[in-house]
Amino acid sequence: MPKLNENFLKLEKNYLFINIAKKINAFIEANPDKKDNIIRMGIGDVTLPIAPCVVEAVKKGAEEMGVKETFKGYEDSGTGYDFLKEAVANYYKSFGADVKPSEIRISDGAKSDCGNIVDIFADDNVVLITDPAYPVYVDSNLMSGRKVIYADCTKENGFCAVPDKNVHADLIYLCSPNNPTGAAFTKNQLKAWIDYAIDNKAIIIYDAAYEAFITEPDIPRSIFEVEGARQCAIEICSLSKTAGFTGMRCGYTVIPDELEVEASDGTKVSISQLWGRRQGSKFNGVSYPVQCGAAAVFSEEGREQIKVNLEYYKENARIIGEALDELGIYYTGGKNSPYIWLECPNGMKSWDFFDYLLTEANVVGTPGAGFGNNGEGFFRLTSFGDREKTIEAVERIKKLLKK
Ligand SMILES: *Cc1c(COP(=O)(O)O)cnc(C)c1O
């Protein structure tokens, strides 16, 4: 009989969205007339369709696959076609981050790379993760039995964790703009983490999945805009939220050529080469038509077209934020992020507020407690919904909480 990886048995059951669905169903059963009145503001998935020029590029790629002369089998490198890596590198250049096409690896999304990257690191590393956080970081490290420690994100620090010099970590996960809090690091805040990582000889795994939502000039889109990052950071990004690729699957990971870690015998090992070796063994690349579509996202026409969707979500976020301002409710996000992370009114707990909002306003959000201990007493609303419904939800929330 095979022995299990018993670390899996220690994982928290993924109850959050199951519990939410259960509560909604129970509510509908008790109030069948309210069924169509429910507005879902908890979704973490995009809802607007892929941009037209991206669809055309995918179609063209698919057609090339059907013709002998242009058919493509396995990609030679499995790290992505040059046309896409060059498009991504040019995008980085456009906001002042110097990244070479050869440092970019095309992936099937950020979630897999966030989880798999730790394969190249030993199990006795100490991993620092912010609390609250996107669950992948914690789960993928607990699966290999690593020690996870937490950096607090609280109202006091505006949900932007601050490094603690007295605590040592080997690997650090940062996500900015953040899911679930919507908070985003300024250059100076990020510089503090880079300095901490260099002092600790640690590596930062930087999740930039929401960079496309950044509007404020002082918020870096990439950790590589900040001095020192090339010595200590890996950046993982995705087209999921940028261009509606959640069902298409494409992302990219950037590993600077000079990023190295010392092996136990003192030899320096290139992180890029090690990750290349891991991917070469376990990953065969992203489909050609999807890469064609991804490259179109970075074209001038593509940038214009995806902007329309991004602006739609950002306006929803602004509408939600404005209502919370009116109500005098503390929140983070909404400005450089599709997420609004609000403090539950009257000291309510996350799940109590969830019930209150569902029963009294028929609005569904996500209880912050589901993302970590520091999420207790907070609540996540998303701007990925329909405009009319967002406005309606906001009106109901205002009416309910003004009382
Ligand atoms: C949605 C999301 C991603 C994107 O994951 P994909 O696998 O590329 O769809 C990555 N990180 C965070 C924090 C996210 O919320």
Side-chain angles (χ1 to χ4, degrees):
M1 209 189 333
K3 294 193 185 78
L4 292 174
N5 175 351
E6 301 215 350
N7 293 318
F8 278 68
L9 308 179
K10 290 182 231 152
L11 296 175
E12 291 242 9
K13 296 277 183 300
N14 204 352
Y15 282 139
L16 181 59
F17 290 96
I18 296 169
N19 279 352
I20 290 174
K22 269 191 201 156
K23 285 196 175 251
I24 297 172
N25 289 340
F27 177 75
I28 291 172
E29 219 160 275
N31 306 275
D33 56 312
K34 298 273 171 64
K35 183 170 187 267
D36 296 328
N37 201 41
I38 294 175
I39 301 177
R40 289 167 203 259
M41 305 267 283
I43 37 168
D45 196 354
V46 292
T47 54
L48 295 172
I50 307 271
C53 78
V54 175
V55 173
E56 280 314 307
V58 175
K59 276 193 202 162
K60 189 161 165 283
E63 268 156 19
E64 284 175 42
M65 295 297 257
V67 175
K68 190 165 195 308
E69 285 69 32
T70 49
F71 165 78
K72 288 178 174 53
Y74 288 124
E75 201 190 291
D76 288 341
S77 70
T79 64
Y81 287 99
D82 287 342
F83 66 81
L84 179 52
K85 288 195 257 187
E86 274 155 27
V88 176
N90 282 333
Y91 176 60
Y92 272 93
K93 205 169 282 162
S94 74
F95 52 77
D98 199 12
V99 166
K100 294 196 271 295
S102 60
E103 295 176 315
I104 295 164
R105 289 160 193 278
I106 306 305
S107 71
D108 62 349
K111 192 179 202 174
S112 20
D113 279 14
C114 283
N116 291 334
I117 193 82
V118 291
D119 275 10
I120 63 172
F121 299 105
D123 292 346
D124 57 0
N125 283 302
V126 176
V127 185
L128 184 96
I129 300 176
T130 57
D131 172 8
Y134 182 53
V136 179
Y137 316 146
V138 175
D139 287 351
S140 49
N141 281 291
L142 293 182
M143 280 172 189
S144 35
R146 283 193 195 89
K147 183 178 173 192
V148 173
I149 57 172
Y150 295 93
D152 288 327
C153 303
T154 58
K155 195 173 168 181
E156 285 64 44
N157 58 31
F159 285 90
C160 285
V162 178
D164 178 351
K165 285 194 186 74
N166 302 315
V167 174
H168 170 80
D170 302 299
L171 291 168
I172 302 155
Y173 279 85
L174 299 177
C175 174
S176 174
N178 191 272
N179 178 12
T181 70
F185 287 122
T186 61
K187 273 195 181 144
N188 285 340
Q189 287 172 323
L190 205 46
K191 182 71 172 69
W193 278 105
I194 290 169
D195 292 343
Y196 169 85
I198 292 172
D199 283 349
N200 281 274
K201 296 189 169 164
I203 286 188
I204 296 174
I205 299 164
Y206 191 74
D207 185 342
Y210 295 93
E211 60 82 18
F213 289 84
I214 292 172
T215 49
E216 294 181 318
D218 191 36
I219 308 294
R221 290 178 179 272
S222 162
I223 195 168
F224 298 118
E225 285 179 66
V226 187
E227 200 200 320
R230 290 187 61 91
Q231 271 170 271
C232 65
I234 294 170
E235 179 159 294
I236 299 179
C237 202
S238 165
L239 293 183
S240 283
K241 318 298 164 31
T242 302
F245 268 50
T246 50
M248 290 271 274
R249 313 304 312 140
C250 194
Y252 45 93
T253 290
V254 181
I255 306 180
D257 286 337
E258 59 263 47
L259 192 62
E260 288 181 327
V261 165
E262 234 170 72
S264 53
D265 67 359
T267 47
K268 303 255 194 215
V269 179
S270 150
I271 292 297
S272 169
Q273 276 172 23
L274 218 56
W275 177 238
R277 188 69 185 82
R278 189 271 175 206
Q279 289 294 78
S281 303
K282 294 195 180 183
F283 182 65
N284 254 338
V286 176
S287 85
Y288 174 69
V290 167
Q291 291 195 54
C292 293
V297 169
F298 295 99
S299 68
E300 209 171 304
E301 200 185 4
R303 301 304 313 164
E304 283 301 312
Q305 291 180 359
I306 62 162
K307 208 172 145 195
V308 178
N309 291 3
L310 289 168
E311 292 300 326
Y312 185 92
Y313 297 137
K314 284 183 203 175
E315 176 62 11
N316 283 350
R318 194 196 59 76
I319 290 168
I320 302 167
E322 190 180 59
L324 297 176
D325 284 336
E326 252 181 78
L327 291 165
I329 291 176
Y330 171 86
Y331 67 97
T332 51
K335 280 192 193 72
N336 303 296
S337 162
Y339 298 122
I340 289 92
W341 177 256
L342 61 101
E343 186 172 29
C344 303
N346 309 320
M348 250 188 242
K349 292 196 156 192
S350 298
W351 280 105
D352 293 337
F353 186 61
F354 175 91
D355 291 334
Y356 183 62
L357 212 55
L358 174 61
T359 48
E360 301 301 321
N362 305 153
V363 172
V364 177
T366 314
F371 298 101
N373 291 337
N374 289 333
E376 183 57 277
F378 286 82
F379 200 76
R380 192 189 74 175
L381 293 175
T382 83
S383 64
F384 288 132
D386 179 79
R387 174 69 44 79
E388 263 69 60
K389 290 207 167 140
T390 301
I391 292 172
E392 167 71 18
V394 157
E395 287 309 315
R396 291 188 203 166
I397 292 172
K398 277 204 282 195
K399 214 170 125 193
L400 179 68
L401 299 183
K402 255 183 195 156
K403 276 196 281 194

